[in-house]
Amino acid sequence: MSSQRSFFEDVLLFIDRAGSYLDYHPKLLEQVKFCNSSLLIRFPVRMDNGDINVVEAFRAEHSHHRLPCKGGIRFAPGVSMDETMALAALMSLKCALVDVPFGGAKGAVNIDPKILSDGERERITRRYTAELIKKDFIGPEIDVPAPDYGTGAQEMAWICDTYKQLCKGVPNYHACVTGKPLDLHGIPGRSEATGQGVAFGIREALAIDEDARALGLTPGISGKRVVIQGLGKVGYHAAQCLQRLGASIVGVGEYNGGLYDENGIDIDAALEWFRSHGSFEGSDHGIFIAEPTAILEQDCDVLVPAALEHVITSDNAGRIQAKVIGEGANGPVTPDGDSVLRDRGIMVIPDVYLNAGGVTVSYFEWLKNRNRVSFERMNSRYFLNMQKDLMRQFAITAGLDQEALDIDHLRGPSELDFVNAALEDTMVRSYAKIRAYWKDNDCPDLRTAAFASAIDKIASTYQTLGIFP
Ligand code: GLU
């Protein structure tokens, strides 16, 4: 039987497990665990057919140890304060782990965006933003939302525009939200960032000879068979990037069934079929698996749950065939499920590290907005000139004809090049730190190490205040 604990209680349990590896005063750990402030709002919205709906919405700021707070806004039916607090807590840990200097937050609006018109979504988004402004829950130095499940660049544009209209005179107002469209002060690579980060993180975990062999795998990502549950923004870009890195995507799943082919799936073709038919059923890009959760239990080396929380519990953890689980979603494995996986020797690469690519690139967008200048403008020609100088020097040393060098075709790096390189660097460095923490502190698994290392960073910031012994 899976547990009856709520999502936030699950996160608290993971924090408690990790806290036992740390030597902080219990009151300090309490301060780190719970949300610093939370907001529940209800507001009326007129729908296109004239009806009025009362919309329930939330924002939780988990930690103010660093400001601004940061975290996405989720539009989904059934969201709650508990779920929002859980996701906000994960954001604090996530930011700490990848050295993004923010506290964690999350927002949620209890609507089903799939059945709303653009106009209805716009009115709800703008009203929600106005409520956040009124309560001081948004601002470039206060709390900076971003996309999450059910939202994207369009919603971020409406948030930014509402903030701009209502908060005149705030310097760098467009840093009040990230994940904006490119033409509205966004940054290239933001929509791919979470998925790419997932792929880089899995590559890092499999690159370590000792760890891969302990799992019964050959080291390296190349040739690994991957199943991805959820082909949304995170899952799709993770699949693309994993394929580029040499892995083979043998299974994909959606809320109404999946596809499996041990020879590999053409992701774009499968997705096109899904979009035009509303299901994978009937597609000849693999064998259709009707039971939605069955895709998690297919034969593969790496399983990436990239949709929603609580999909791997003590009920199905015993049937997972993967050797590695890469948590693309937030909270896909419950603590009970996690214990079963650990006992079975399955490695879990935890969400707080693995899906931190999104907030990492959000941080770059925020920096760009505050600096009011793109990374490309300040750096591109410098790197181009450096490349040309190097080639000239090389030609002189090698006694080559300078005229034959053909350096005019060289281009300096684009902003996307800078973003992708910095994202990869963040994922590589952070993995090395978490793994070192795992081994140095004899933690039972990567999740405990990641949580303990993140709590350590947050707690030590509080400790400098001198309140806690
Ligand atoms: N919603 C994303 C997450 O859960 C991104 C948050 C952000 O960019 O602030 O990590």
Side-chain angles (χ1 to χ4, degrees):
M1 274 292 287
S2 52
S3 89
Q4 295 304 306
R5 278 187 306 269
S6 72
F7 189 8
F8 188 46
E9 285 166 345
D10 278 351
V11 172
L12 294 182
L13 195 62
F14 280 136
I15 294 179
D16 285 339
R17 281 184 189 172
S20 66
Y21 287 81
L22 298 165
D23 193 19
Y24 286 106
H25 192 278
K27 291 289 172 201
L28 175 47
L29 289 178
E30 191 178 318
Q31 171 64 33
V32 173
K33 269 165 80 169
F34 295 101
C35 281
N36 291 173
S37 28
S38 53
L39 177 69
L40 159 61
I41 41 190
R42 287 193 186 86
F43 51 85
V45 176
R46 193 178 298 280
M47 309 310 278
D48 290 349
N49 65 3
D51 285 357
I52 294 166
N53 269 5
V54 176
V55 174
E56 184 188 44
F58 311 89
R59 183 81 183 165
E61 292 178 349
H62 174 260
S63 185
H64 292 158
H65 75 291
R66 296 237 189 280
L67 288 175
C69 293
K70 189 84 190 78
I73 295 174
R74 180 171 281 206
F75 282 4
V79 291
S80 63
M81 182 55 95
D82 181 275
E83 175 182 318
T84 311
M85 290 193 301
L87 293 163
L90 292 176
M91 284 307 303
S92 289
L93 303 174
K94 207 182 290 192
C95 291
L97 273 181
V98 290
D99 294 319
V100 164
F102 297 146
K106 202 70 155 203
V109 183
N110 198 347
I111 51 169
D112 183 355
K114 290 195 197 77
I115 58 169
L116 298 178
S117 69
D118 286 354
E120 289 167 340
R121 277 188 306 120
E122 176 173 356
R123 291 197 289 283
I124 291 170
T125 308
R126 287 187 182 278
R127 177 63 191 255
Y128 176 64
T129 310
E131 296 290 332
L132 294 182
I133 294 169
K134 255 193 338 200
K135 307 291 184 330
D136 240 349
F137 269 72
I138 185 171
E141 308 298 328
I142 299 172
D143 187 347
V144 180
D148 198 81
Y149 188 80
T151 56
Q154 176 63 76
E155 284 77 11
M156 303 308 118
W158 291 325
I159 292 174
C160 188
D161 187 58
T162 309
Y163 188 85
K164 178 183 170 186
Q165 305 307 328
L166 298 182
C167 302
K168 288 210 181 65
V170 173
N172 308 317
Y173 67 87
H174 41 281
C176 72
V177 62
T178 60
K180 301 179 291 293
L182 262 186
D183 288 344
L184 207 89
H185 311 284
I187 197 163
R190 175 62 187 84
S191 46
E192 302 92 309
T194 312
Q196 295 216 35
V198 167
F200 291 140
I202 294 171
R203 180 195 64 190
E204 289 311 290
L206 290 173
I208 297 174
D209 213 275
E210 178 192 340
D211 299 348
R213 293 201 192 283
L215 294 163
L217 295 171
T218 54
I221 185 80
S222 182
K224 295 295 177 297
R225 298 164 310 131
V226 182
V227 167
I228 302 201
Q229 186 227 17
L231 266 196
K233 273 180 298 223
V234 179
Y236 174 75
H237 291 294
Q240 294 290 352
C241 191
L242 282 163
Q243 263 176 347
R244 281 199 300 277
L245 296 173
S248 167
I249 310 301
V250 295
V252 291
E254 265 296 337
Y255 63 96
N256 54 358
L259 270 189
Y260 186 85
D261 184 344
E262 60 184 18
N263 297 313
I265 292 174
D266 178 339
I267 298 298
D268 283 316
L271 191 60
E272 203 182 306
W273 179 277
F274 182 82
R275 285 198 177 131
S276 50
H277 297 82
S279 157
F280 291 120
E281 192 167 7
S283 156
D284 58 5
H285 299 288
I287 298 164
F288 179 63
I289 298 172
E291 164 57 45
T293 57
I295 195 71
L296 300 164
E297 299 167 19
Q298 301 302 309
D299 184 23
C300 61
D301 300 313
V302 181
L303 171 64
V304 181
L308 284 173
E309 57 269 14
H310 286 183
V311 294
I312 301 177
T313 65
S314 54
D315 290 341
N316 61 355
R319 296 193 297 272
I320 302 292
Q321 299 195 54
K323 306 276 194 319
V324 176
I325 294 183
E327 293 188 324
N330 289 309
V333 179
T334 63
D336 297 338
D338 201 55
S339 303
V340 175
L341 296 172
R342 192 178 51 232
D343 291 347
R344 295 187 55 220
I346 296 172
M347 177 194 233
V348 178
I349 314 174
D351 49 4
V352 282
Y353 159 69
L354 198 66
N355 70 29
V359 75
T360 300
V361 175
S362 275
Y363 172 44
F364 303 152
E365 181 177 332
W366 182 79
L367 289 173
K368 173 184 170 176
N369 294 161
R370 289 172 86 245
N371 294 341
R372 290 179 173 249
V373 66
S374 76
F375 295 102
E376 181 175 329
R377 180 160 180 187
M378 292 308 291
N379 297 293
S380 187
R381 186 156 291 269
Y382 173 80
F383 283 104
L384 176 62
N385 291 343
M386 206 163 78
Q387 265 188 80
K388 288 185 176 177
D389 283 348
L390 266 172
M391 286 186 67
R392 284 195 201 99
Q393 285 303 325
F394 173 74
I396 292 167
T397 316
L400 299 174
D401 177 8
Q402 293 255 355
E403 297 299 309
L405 267 184
D406 186 23
I407 53 177
D408 290 339
H409 75 281
L410 291 175
R411 293 279 167 269
S414 65
E415 184 147 63
L416 182 60
D417 293 327
F418 286 117
V419 166
N420 284 341
L423 167 64
E424 183 171 359
D425 189 57
T426 300
M427 297 309 292
V428 170
R429 281 169 193 264
S430 305
Y431 189 78
K433 284 190 200 164
I434 297 166
R435 187 185 183 273
Y437 201 98
W438 174 28
K439 297 294 162 187
D440 294 349
N441 296 285
D442 240 350
C443 293
D445 52 32
L446 265 180
R447 189 193 310 277
T448 311
F451 269 60
S453 144
I455 296 164
D456 204 1
K457 286 185 187 183
I458 299 170
S460 61
T461 312
Y462 277 116
Q463 211 158 35
T464 56
L465 299 175
I467 298 169
F468 299 99

